[in-house]
Amino acid sequence: MSIEEFKKELDQLEISYTDKQLNQLEQYYQLLMEWNQKINLTAITKKEEVYLKHFYDSLTLSKIINLKEQETLCDIGTGAGFPGIVIKIFFPHLKITLVDSLQKRTNFLKNIISSLQLEKIEVCNARAEEYALENREKFDIVTARAVAHLRILLEYGVPMVKVHKYFVAMKGNINDELKESETTIDQLDCEKQNVISFTLPYDAGNRTLILFQKQKKTNQLFPRKYSEMKKKSL
């Protein structure tokens, strides 16, 4: 995906942009490649693929929820900052929290935030289950991209969502995981409101977004070992 193609896809998503934001994204790419030589951040390094499979893919979150109407977002298992950093660039009004367990990755994220002069965004070097215990009912949106089984994501993410606000899972193929998560959905008093499946441009892969709305205050957490929250490929 070239820059011009990326801009056309932004128009399709109805995401407005400025030259400054596009420059920030380009700087993000350059720093990602620089740091990737020192620590393993991504196996995707070709510029056109990064723009498609990381940057554009991150922004597809806007397909299922109006980000302009929300104020706070938490990205758990953010890795190299997908989708959180990309969302921050194009929706600067959002107060964003990035959570990741690996110190090297959080150091990278802090460097990105400083270099791009991003505001109202913080990085937490913590395990998801530990962060969730201390941050219940805090966010308008909690999301996770390419992280673990849906059941586990719900168990960690939903308790952090404010009542009547949203958890969004960004996944590949999801049918089996949805069936296996039905009991957890009921236990957590959240309602599956929408499921959107689509193919990335240029047949670059299948994606599914699942929107859940939290109905009641969470009275229980479902602790699991963090080893189950390993990053997975989409």
Side-chain angles (χ1 to χ4, degrees):
M1 176 179 280
S2 68
I3 301 297
E4 289 305 313
E5 290 168 331
F6 178 76
K7 289 162 66 175
K8 289 180 180 179
E9 293 298 335
L10 288 181
D11 291 337
Q12 290 294 318
L13 291 173
E14 299 183 347
I15 296 176
S16 59
Y17 55 88
T18 64
D19 287 341
K20 177 183 177 181
Q21 289 167 320
L22 294 176
N23 289 336
Q24 285 177 315
L25 199 64
E26 176 63 21
Q27 188 178 0
Y28 185 14
Y29 169 74
Q30 296 297 336
L31 288 169
L32 177 67
M33 293 301 101
E34 179 184 327
W35 279 68
N36 203 50
Q37 296 177 10
K38 299 178 288 186
I39 61 175
N40 182 25
L41 293 169
T42 176
I44 300 172
T45 56
K46 188 176 179 181
K47 186 173 182 178
E48 291 82 0
E49 292 189 359
V50 171
Y51 267 76
L52 172 58
K53 296 181 179 179
H54 284 326
F55 295 167
Y56 171 78
D57 192 23
S58 293
L59 291 170
T60 61
L61 182 67
S62 64
K63 283 177 173 283
I64 203 165
I65 188 168
N66 189 342
L67 296 171
K68 295 178 182 179
E69 295 180 348
Q70 311 303 321
E71 296 181 359
T72 56
L73 181 148
C74 180
D75 177 10
I76 56 176
T78 187
F82 311 125
I85 291 285
V86 187
I87 293 293
K88 181 63 191 179
I89 290 172
F90 289 93
F91 296 90
H93 73 283
L94 283 170
K95 183 177 180 180
I96 291 182
T97 300
L98 308 174
V99 180
D100 198 272
S101 65
L102 188 63
Q103 181 73 58
K104 291 180 180 179
R105 285 197 293 259
T106 55
N107 287 342
F108 164 73
L109 295 169
K110 290 175 182 178
N111 181 270
I112 291 292
I113 290 168
S114 175
S115 298
L116 273 56
Q117 298 182 326
L118 301 175
E119 299 177 350
K120 296 195 296 183
I121 181 169
E122 64 176 354
V123 180
C124 295
N125 179 212
R127 295 185 175 187
E129 71 269 32
E130 295 171 353
Y131 188 81
L133 282 168
E134 299 174 359
N135 292 276
R136 294 195 184 195
E137 277 84 39
K138 183 176 180 179
F139 300 99
D140 296 332
I141 305 172
V142 174
T143 190
R145 174 181 177 267
V147 180
H149 191 286
L150 177 61
R151 183 186 68 253
I152 299 170
L153 294 179
L154 290 165
E155 291 172 358
Y156 288 153
V158 172
M160 291 191 282
V161 176
K162 298 175 184 176
V163 178
H164 303 311
K165 290 297 186 173
Y166 307 97
F167 175 82
V168 183
M170 306 179 74
K171 305 286 287 185
N173 294 320
I174 195 67
N175 288 340
D176 290 342
E177 290 189 27
L178 268 174
K179 292 178 182 177
E180 293 165 0
S181 302
E182 288 178 355
T183 299
T184 300
I185 293 170
D186 290 338
Q187 290 174 327
L188 288 169
D189 292 313
C190 61
E191 178 182 286
K192 183 182 68 178
Q193 289 208 324
N194 198 6
V195 179
I196 297 177
S197 296
F198 58 96
T199 301
L200 289 177
Y202 318 112
D203 285 328
N206 297 322
R207 296 292 185 267
T208 303
L209 305 174
I210 312 100
L211 176 70
F212 298 91
Q213 185 182 50
K214 183 170 179 173
Q215 303 299 313
K216 297 180 181 179
K217 183 177 177 66
T218 302
N219 294 316
Q220 182 180 5
L221 277 181
F222 300 79
R224 291 179 179 272
K225 294 181 179 178
Y226 192 71
S227 58
E228 296 185 54
M229 281 286 293
K230 291 180 180 177
K231 202 79 171 178
K232 293 184 177 180
S233 298
L234 276 170

